[in-house]
């Protein structure tokens, strides 16, 4: 019988799957995700039961890379572009539903495009204006780990450790 709050799929109908910490024994530790991925790929290529393996990012960090300066021109142009796409989509949908088709459909597309551009410019200006210069740059964020550990269920951990040791020594034959 399973405990009611384990978070495992199918344990309690209607309950959400709750997060669980990873389980298993450490069989390898890597500085980069690509190295951990390569290790697991090596195991898979050698018929290892990789369903027993987990890659765990440890010492997580949020890294925000600054891409450029944010100006009114860039804000308005970005707002116009995103509004144009939304307006074009709405206009196309309306033109397909238009009973007249043809010129009426083209009018719906152009109207949607213009309204979308105006809406995008206005919403971008309001959002940027409300920030009052507190964030005059664009950036891209991602979560990275200080290291990546490969864990394996105890029943196959020793075999995985041996295989990864041979890979590290270059004798993975």
């Amino acid at each position: 019988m399973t405990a009611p709050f384990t978070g495992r799929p199918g344990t309690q109908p209607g309950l959400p799957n709750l997060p669980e910490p990873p389980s298993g024994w450490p069989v390898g530790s890597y500085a980069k995700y690509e190295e951990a991925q390569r290790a697991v790929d090596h195991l898979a290529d050698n018929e290892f039961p990789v369903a027993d393996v987990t890659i765990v990012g440890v010492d997580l960090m949020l890294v925000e890379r600054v891409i450029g300066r944010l100006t009114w021109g860039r804000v308005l142009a970005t707002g116009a572009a995103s509004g144009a796409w939304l307006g074009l989509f709405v206009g196309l949908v309306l033109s397909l539903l238009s009973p007249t088709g043809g010129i009426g459909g083209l009018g719906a597309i152009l109207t949607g495009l213009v309204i979308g551009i105006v809406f995008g410019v206005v919403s971008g200006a309001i959002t940027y204006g409300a920030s009052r210069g507190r964030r005059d740059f664009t950036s891209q964020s991602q979560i990275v780990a200080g290291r990546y550990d490969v864990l394996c269920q105890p029943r196959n951990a020793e075999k995985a450790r041996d295989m990864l040791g041979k890979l590290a020594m270059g004798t993975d034959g």
Side-chain angles (χ1 to χ4, degrees), residues 104-154:
L106 182 61
I109 293 172
L110 291 176
T111 302
L113 184 64
V114 170
I115 291 172
I117 291 171
V118 170
F119 178 77
V121 167
V122 169
S123 69
I126 290 172
T127 303
Y128 184 63
S131 74
R132 296 187 182 169
R134 285 186 303 258
R135 189 171 167 91
D136 284 339
F137 61 92
T138 59
S139 64
Q140 189 174 39
S141 297
Q142 68 183 148
I143 295 179
V144 296
R147 76 173 192 274
Y148 297 89
D149 291 342
V150 176
L151 306 180
C152 183
Q153 292 304 312

Side-chain angles (χ1 to χ4, degrees), residues 76-86 117 120-121:
L76 298 178
T78 302
S82 64
W85 280 111
L86 178 64
I117 291 171
V121 167

Side-chain angles (χ1 to χ4, degrees), residues 27 30 39-50 156-173:
V27 295
Y30 304 91
V40 174
D41 189 48
H42 172 74
L43 294 173
D45 290 346
N46 288 285
E47 307 294 322
F48 186 84
V50 290
N156 288 311
E158 189 174 337
K159 181 179 176 184
R161 197 175 290 124
D162 289 345
M163 291 173 72
L164 294 179
K166 289 178 182 177
L167 174 66
M169 292 186 299
T171 59
D172 57 331

